[in-house]
Amino acid sequence: HSTVTNNAASLGGGIYRFSVSVILRNTLVATQAAGSDCAGGGIESQGYNLDSDGTCNLTAPTDLLNTDPVLGPLADNTGTTFTHALLAGSPAVDRIPLKQNGCGLTVYEDQRGVTRPQGVACDIGAYEVNDTDGDGVPDNNDNCPTVYNPDQLDSNGDGYGDACVSPDVDIPPDTTIGFGVLIGSGSSIGSGAVIGDNVELANNVTIDDLVTVGEGTVIGSDTWVKASAAVGANVEIAPNVTIGKASVIGDATIVGEGTLLRDDVSVGAAATLGTNVTLAADVMVGDRAIIGDRTKIGALTQIGADTTIGTDTQIGRGVVVGNNVTIGNFVMVKNRAVIPDGAVIPDGATVP
């Protein structure tokens, strides 16, 4: 499972055999900077190899000769060393069947530590193409890489699988979007639409008024959720999202850094609000929530019992803080805030 590429020599830029035996197995030798892939003769193939110019004299029926592997440049593809990625359309992808030549048995990781196989079979060379959604189709060939869709259906031929919604599309009002869909960046979701559970919304999506967002949905960064949206439980809201007035955010939601929660938003119990979140006036935060550092909590907000409020938070006037709340260091509590019995206010908090 080696990749030998972009090397240079007058003869055998990839491999030059002198007198020792050379055995290739699951190996890619291709596209040298100068000189042939192989020279010196006498190379033994144990199958599932690839060369780009035929000079390695590969003889196994599973070998690929004179074949372009479609490699990327040497780059940081994660892992401890740089690697050459197999790009979309590479014939080296999914070439070695499971349990053949050690695929998934004695060979279960690539050079980066990525598990082999990712798809239905192992890839030739040092790099295994990722299969994020586990549908057996490598990401670089998958028309919807984050949603399980082994059938790869694409009814309208736009290059995006039917399991996904393509970027910059306008989703009309009152549309029902099914479970597990990926909605691409820059999309606009019309008012009153219903978004099913476990949907992923990419960055810069606009969600119009009165949209219902299902449980377990991931809302991408810089998304604008307009007024009166209903956001289900266990939703993950990425950084810098704006949640419109009177929206309801379900229990155990994770709200990312820099998010703005506008007036009259309701945040369910056990939610986690990241740092630098802004809670506008009359927001209601449920019990056992965790409010991150440097949050700005607007006037007349109600914060439920057993909530933890992080350091450097500003609590606006008239805020009602529930029982057994823990308030972090250097919190500023504005006028007419109500701090009940059982609240823990440490050194450095300012209470006018």
Side-chain angles (χ1 to χ4, degrees):
H1 273 287
S2 296
T3 294
V4 183
T5 186
N6 201 35
N7 297 291
S10 57
L11 289 174
I15 298 173
Y16 187 91
R17 189 188 78 88
F18 287 91
S19 58
V20 297
S21 61
V22 176
I23 300 173
L24 300 183
R25 183 184 192 190
N26 307 343
T27 290
L28 188 156
V29 187
T31 55
Q32 309 308 323
S36 58
D37 287 336
C38 297
I43 293 177
E44 177 185 343
S45 171
Q46 293 187 350
Y48 298 104
N49 301 298
L50 180 152
D51 77 1
S52 60
D53 64 4
T55 58
C56 294
N57 298 314
L58 303 174
T59 56
T62 56
D63 291 332
L64 296 174
L65 287 69
N66 291 302
T67 301
D68 181 359
V70 194
L71 286 175
L74 190 65
D76 183 0
N77 297 306
T78 74
T80 58
T81 60
F82 281 21
T83 50
H84 291 273
L86 300 174
L87 303 181
S90 172
V93 173
D94 286 350
R95 180 67 183 174
I96 309 165
L98 185 64
K99 299 182 180 180
Q100 296 292 317
N101 269 22
C103 174
L105 296 176
T106 57
V107 180
Y108 47 84
E109 287 185 347
D110 76 352
Q111 181 172 323
R112 302 167 297 153
V114 172
T115 300
R116 292 185 190 263
Q118 283 283 304
V120 296
C122 292
D123 303 340
I124 296 175
Y127 185 94
E128 184 79 9
V129 173
N130 295 64
D131 178 23
T132 301
D133 56 15
D135 61 5
V137 182
D139 287 356
N140 57 7
N141 292 322
D142 197 332
N143 61 18
C144 190
T146 61
V147 178
Y148 183 87
N149 64 329
D151 54 20
Q152 296 290 285
L153 290 177
D154 180 12
S155 300
N156 62 3
D158 66 353
Y160 295 91
D162 293 351
C164 297
V165 178
S166 58
D168 303 312
V169 70
D170 288 330
I171 300 171
D174 303 313
T175 298
T176 299
I177 301 169
F179 303 119
V181 174
L182 169 66
I183 298 176
S185 302
S187 298
S188 176
I189 301 173
S191 59
V194 178
I195 301 174
D197 298 345
N198 302 308
V199 170
E200 180 174 345
L201 281 70
N203 301 335
N204 302 305
V205 172
T206 300
I207 302 174
D208 218 330
D209 299 347
L210 301 170
V211 170
T212 300
V213 181
E215 296 184 3
T217 293
V218 177
I219 299 177
S221 59
D222 300 302
T223 293
W224 183 13
V225 181
K226 291 189 176 180
S228 301
V231 180
N234 300 304
V235 169
E236 180 178 339
I237 300 175
N240 302 310
V241 171
T242 299
I243 306 292
K245 292 178 62 175
S247 294
V248 178
I249 300 174
D251 296 347
T253 294
I254 300 173
V255 180
E257 298 179 3
T259 294
L260 170 61
L261 305 182
R262 294 196 182 275
D263 299 353
D264 302 308
V265 169
S266 175
V267 180
T272 301
L273 280 65
T275 59
N276 298 306
V277 171
T278 300
L279 281 68
D282 294 304
V283 171
M284 180 178 294
V285 180
D287 297 345
R288 301 182 306 283
I290 299 173
I291 300 176
D293 299 345
R294 297 182 300 281
T295 294
K296 296 178 181 178
I297 302 174
L300 303 176
T301 293
Q302 297 183 45
I303 300 173
D306 300 302
T307 293
T308 300
I309 300 175
T311 60
D312 298 307
T313 294
Q314 297 180 33
I315 300 178
R317 64 176 180 80
V319 170
V320 178
V321 180
N323 295 323
N324 303 310
V325 169
T326 300
I327 300 176
N329 298 324
F330 306 109
V331 170
M332 179 177 292
V333 182
K334 300 292 182 66
N335 296 328
R336 295 189 298 279
V338 178
I339 311 293
D341 295 341
V344 179
I345 304 176
D347 295 340
T350 301
V351 183

